[in-house]
Amino acid sequence: MATTQRTFGIVKPDATAAGNAGKILARIEENGLKIIAMKLMHLSEAQAKGFYAVHKERPFFGELVTFMTEGPIVAVVMEGDNAIQRWRDLMGPTNSDEAPAGTIRGDFGSGIERNASHGSDAPETAALEIAYFFNATEIQAPTEAL
Ligand code: CMP
């Protein structure tokens, strides 16, 4: 059964620097996912550390924070049937070197760190990640509530 979900995505600094943000956002829209909130921002070290706190014990944490603060990102909230899995399918595997052509990471990323995009992995993390970047007034309300 179809389940309407919200998910959170990031166009990462490698992709914005290469001028690929528009192409990645177009793939979201072409896939039929609805963008209900979006902002371009340059993360501070504290913001990047907080967002990736779950990875703080990993050996790559420092590098990941440096990468995520090197330039602007686009933070996006998407809505649609099974949005979490659909956005993950659009991105492809985490490691861009293993991501097939036609996926965002396959087409715009390089390696496991500079992988062009992030996506929530479950409803609970989607809710946490959306709330980390957006307050309620920044997210388009459901149509029926207008
Ligand atoms: P993301 O989906 O944003 O979630 C955590 C990120 O950590 C992941 O994408 C990768 O960019 C990065 N990452 C995961 N594993 C490694 C690794 N082994 N080395 C460097 N970066 C990694």
Side-chain angles (χ1 to χ4, degrees), residues 10 12 51-52 54-55 58-61 63-64 67-68 88 91 94-95 105 111-120 129:
I10 294 178
K12 292 188 178 182
F51 180 70
Y52 280 121
V54 65
H55 296 304
R58 303 281 195 96
F60 59 82
F61 183 66
E63 269 181 38
L64 178 62
F67 164 54
M68 290 301 291
R88 292 178 71 78
M91 291 191 296
T94 304
N95 189 340
R105 286 165 169 162
I112 195 161
E113 182 174 274
R114 306 179 74 82
N115 63 354
S117 59
H118 164 82
S120 309
E129 291 176 358

Side-chain angles (χ1 to χ4, degrees), residues 4-114:
T4 301
Q5 289 178 328
R6 289 180 170 184
T7 192
F8 175 74
I10 294 178
V11 178
K12 292 188 178 182
D14 57 329
T16 57
N20 289 326
K23 291 169 210 153
I24 292 170
L25 296 169
R27 289 193 184 194
I28 293 172
E29 294 185 323
E30 285 158 7
N31 187 262
L33 287 168
K34 186 174 169 189
I35 294 174
I36 58 167
M38 179 164 73
K39 60 175 80 161
L40 181 112
M41 54 198 299
H42 194 146
L43 296 182
S44 67
E45 188 181 325
Q47 286 172 320
K49 281 183 171 168
F51 180 70
Y52 280 121
V54 65
H55 296 304
K56 67 178 188 298
E57 306 300 337
R58 303 281 195 96
F60 59 82
F61 183 66
E63 269 181 38
L64 178 62
V65 169
T66 300
F67 164 54
M68 290 301 291
T69 56
E70 76 179 27
I73 63 155
V74 184
V76 190
V77 183
M78 295 157 258
E79 187 175 88
D81 290 340
N82 299 311
I84 293 170
Q85 189 59 46
R86 281 167 65 195
W87 172 230
R88 292 178 71 78
D89 290 346
L90 273 180
M91 291 191 296
T94 304
N95 189 340
S96 289
D97 293 341
E98 294 164 6
T103 64
I104 289 168
R105 286 165 169 162
D107 292 348
F108 304 119
S110 51
I112 195 161
E113 182 174 274
R114 306 179 74 82

